Amino acid sequence: MTQTLSILFLALVLDRLVGDPDWLWRRVAHPVVLFGRAIGAMDRLFNGKRLSAQTRRFNGAAGIAVLLVASVFLGFVLHRLLAPLGLPGAAVEVVVVAVFLAQKSLHDHVRAVSAGLKEGGLEGGRQAVSMIVGRDPATLDEPAVCRAGIESLAENFSDGVVAPALWYALFGLPGLFAYKMLNTADSMIGHKNVKYLDFGWASARLDDLANWPAARLSILFIAAGAWLAKGRAAARAAIGTALRDAGLHRSPNSGWPEAAMAGAVGIGLAGPRIYGGARVDEPMMNAAGRTVATAADIDLSLRIFSAACAVLAAGVLLATIAAALF
């Protein structure tokens, strides 16, 4: 356990400093891309239009089960290959874990939304936010662009940082690989449309289950980050808003970090929005907060996010020391 936590701490630091270098992933395929190719092959082979809904649901469940077993096996084999190498093997594992974290890349993408608004106006903001959200950017005014960026930051803090860190801490590389396979599958085939309603059902439900603990843990880190970035009142507002409004979100998990960030920043998030031409009507979380979000709110959310990531790393370091002592 001590070695696992030590590797996780170093991976969090490495990811925060280096992130995902574009020059590297332009030359070789990112592991998540490889996971996506496997999921895409499963989709093409076993999600035929002529199949019955029952058959598609069975195929989707069996397919994701096979991919999860394969990812667990891959993680187990890789760890067994690295473990006998001592420090060099541990260093390689640090890099592998860092690859599956998203602190710097998430920060950079959301910071680009703020920069786009400041430098290119509404069109600059729309272009930047279209890289990280699924809603139609042409329907967004400036406050909606800001809300979209902040919502993406909060949601992905949970499933792109806290969740992979948690599953690695609990189960090592097998747990990390399985989580990322499942999370990638949910993003590709977990949609509630005609094509994937049945085929992606198992992936979507399993992803909800896998993200359940991280989503709730994330509000504590966001609250701690809010305390460091803005003060104790912001931390209380983060926790209080999450406990009150998380259930207003259509997702059983995304509402927790988004509501916490809404309370910390002092703005309303979620509410009605458009995905693929279809309007999604949801209540506003922290409806008593400001309705007009600005680029300054994005900047504040980024400071809270950075502080939350630092608290997470510090918590892992303290757990490492405790494990070594006791």
Side-chain angles (χ1 to χ4, degrees):
M1 175 59 75
T2 302
Q3 183 179 11
T4 298
L5 291 173
S6 299
I7 289 173
L8 177 58
F9 170 71
L10 293 173
L12 285 165
V13 173
L14 180 63
D15 173 61
R16 191 67 187 91
L17 295 175
V18 179
D20 289 328
D22 290 337
W23 61 265
L24 175 61
W25 303 125
R26 284 197 298 264
R27 290 168 173 78
V28 297
H30 194 287
V32 172
V33 173
L34 299 179
F35 286 1
R37 290 175 183 172
I39 296 161
M42 179 184 76
D43 183 14
R44 291 190 299 273
L45 290 171
F46 303 113
N47 190 26
K49 294 181 180 180
R50 297 182 180 181
L51 298 176
S52 68
Q54 183 177 7
T55 299
R56 288 199 300 272
R57 179 167 290 203
F58 173 82
N59 288 353
I64 192 60
V66 170
L67 291 178
L68 288 175
V69 169
S71 58
V72 167
F73 178 73
L74 177 62
F76 175 78
V77 169
L78 182 57
H79 176 72
R80 291 300 296 269
L81 290 173
L82 295 175
L85 301 180
L87 285 177
V92 172
E93 187 158 332
V94 167
V95 174
V96 171
V97 176
V99 164
F100 288 97
L101 299 169
Q103 296 167 101
K104 188 174 187 299
S105 60
L106 179 56
H107 184 280
D108 290 348
H109 278 101
V110 176
R111 184 176 60 183
V113 178
S114 175
L117 287 168
K118 294 172 183 176
E119 298 168 8
L122 179 57
E123 287 307 314
R126 284 174 172 173
Q127 182 176 357
V129 85
S130 69
M131 305 299 293
I132 57 174
V133 300
R135 64 197 72 175
D136 184 357
T139 66
L140 304 178
D141 58 13
E142 185 167 330
V145 168
C146 295
R147 290 196 303 271
I150 295 169
E151 289 163 16
S152 180
L153 180 69
E155 178 184 359
N156 285 290
F157 171 65
S158 175
D159 61 22
V161 180
V162 179
L166 175 64
W167 287 107
Y168 177 77
L170 293 175
F171 300 111
L173 287 180
L176 176 63
F177 284 13
Y179 172 75
K180 292 305 292 187
M181 177 66 79
L182 183 58
N183 192 240
T184 305
D186 179 63
S187 67
M188 292 178 63
I189 64 173
H191 308 294
K192 293 182 179 180
N193 55 30
V194 174
K195 184 176 182 180
Y196 293 123
L197 182 62
D198 295 298
F199 186 73
W201 177 84
S203 295
R205 299 291 77 75
L206 288 173
D207 184 72
D208 287 343
L209 184 63
N211 278 300
W212 194 95
R216 286 141 185 86
L217 277 174
S218 67
I219 71 171
L220 300 179
F221 294 116
I222 290 173
W227 191 322
L228 293 173
K230 195 179 176 186
R232 184 169 59 182
R236 288 200 304 265
I239 294 176
T241 305
L243 294 175
R244 185 190 68 230
D245 291 349
L248 299 177
H249 200 286
R250 61 176 177 167
S251 164
N253 295 317
S254 298
W256 291 89
E258 289 187 27
M261 189 65 81
V265 177
I267 60 173
L269 291 179
R273 50 204 186 275
I274 297 175
Y275 291 93
R279 181 182 174 89
V280 174
D281 287 307
E282 287 183 5
M284 186 76 74
M285 295 184 294
N286 195 33
R290 287 182 290 107
T291 57
V292 179
T294 66
D297 292 316
I298 299 179
D299 296 338
L300 173 58
S301 71
L302 287 168
R303 293 196 297 273
I304 292 171
F305 168 80
S306 295
C309 289
V311 172
L312 172 60
V316 173
L317 178 60
L318 290 176
T320 303
I321 295 171
L325 293 176
F326 304 105

